[in-house]
Amino acid sequence: MHLPTVLSVVFAAAGVTAQLNDLAVAAGLKYFGTCGSEGNINSDTTYRNILNNKSEFGQLVPENGQKWDATEPSRGQFTYSSGDIVAGVAKQNGQLLRCHTLVWYSQLPSWGNVTVSGGSWNRSTLQSVIETHINNVMGHYKGQCYAWDVVNEAVNDDGTWRPSVFLSTFNTDYFAISFRAAKAADPNTKLYYNDYNLEYNQAKTDRAVELVKIVQAAGAPIDGVGFQGHLIVGSTPSRSALATTLKRFTALGVEVAYTELDIRHSSVPASSSALVTQGNDFANVVGSCLDVAGCVGVTIWGFTDKYSWIPQTFPGQGDALLYNSNFGKKPAWTSVSSVLAAKATNPPPAQTTTLATITTAPPAQTTTTSRPAVSTTSAAAPGGAQQTRWGQCGGIGWSGPTACQSPWTCQVLNPYYSQCL
Ligand code: 9MR
């Protein structure tokens, strides 16, 4: 039987679907989400229907609609027609909304002959422009955003501060200015610093750690750091290395999340073995989030290879997502669902005994009162216990029973999930 089908049977019996957000929540995350591409929502029904599915994606991010050039195309003139598209879908479906992004060197507007990036600003005038922008945009979405990317991509890959009108005007003071303005505009949303290539734990990561410390030392609020996760098949760090890097930030008292995950092939079409490697890479990233208390969720930067920013930016590369161009689920989808399912069915020993724990909430908050029919065997049972039909019996991170009740046998479906079939 095909794994998604197997998982569907198991989780349907337990009261949840084997879809990514349901599995992620069952595994203890707040969400599994995707960005939504404004242009395709009303033109592609298949795309829209998948995006609408809260069991698959419990959180959405506007891909472009909330950026500065979209929201304040003329100075002091605000428009939300694009930003409201994805926000509206999330609202309609009861999905969380991640909001993206406020102070970024890119996608800045042209304001006649006075551009944000090219204008001759002093501290006072540019601070007023930043505060006006943040106040208006966050004001419009007040109460709707689980989190906001307040400052985006302020560090170069070599660990130096990225040049921008903000850096040249304020040096690093613009971080605290932006986070303070954000707190004033919407005190109840999580305020994030968001960047790519933090995953490699090198000079750029060191500088991002410093950024968080700078904001904190200024007495300004910062709640989270977003690891964008624009990664490359075969060059993605291991699960444990990724977890180590995430923990550098949670040690500072902020939460972390993967915010724009995609893992691209260096050349397409990908071979079948490259598709498997891609699946393992995705599982390592998602698994690292599961391994770190304080990693709240994973967002992929689009779900279908049909629509992705990558081929335009990296010609000849791509196919970086979980669904192919025909909306078929790729091996990477199976790997992600498996690593989530493994955690959902294998909560820490002190917390539970059966699959019933996955029906309502993260393991720490649940009880073990029902649905013994799904799995009568303790997930953390001592040696000798035998798993029932459909139950997990192996896989990376699994510490429960590895034998199956007769006549079922333990079959390896992938490195993360073996099952009694
Ligand atoms: O996916 C976005 C693409 O449609 C835009 O053309 C591009 C413009 O800069 O931005 C892309 O999204 C970026 C995100 O906002 C910030 N991190 C990097 C993403 C990929 O470039």
Side-chain angles (χ1 to χ4, degrees), residues 63-64 67 100 104 106-107 152-153 194 196 228 230 260 301 309:
E63 184 169 9
N64 287 300
K67 293 172 180 175
H100 172 80
W104 186 25
S106 181
Q107 287 180 268
N152 202 46
E153 300 173 9
N194 189 50
Y196 60 88
Q228 292 184 9
H230 295 297
E260 304 181 14
W301 206 237
W309 66 284

Side-chain angles (χ1 to χ4, degrees), residues 233-257:
V233 171
S235 302
T236 299
S238 70
R239 177 169 173 166
S240 64
L242 288 164
T244 298
T245 308
L246 294 175
K247 285 178 190 164
R248 291 187 68 187
F249 292 89
T250 56
L252 302 176
V254 294
E255 65 179 45
V256 291

Side-chain angles (χ1 to χ4, degrees), residues 14-30:
V16 295
T17 66
Q19 296 181 78
L20 300 180
N21 184 60
D22 282 354
L23 292 173
V25 171
L29 301 182
K30 283 191 180 9

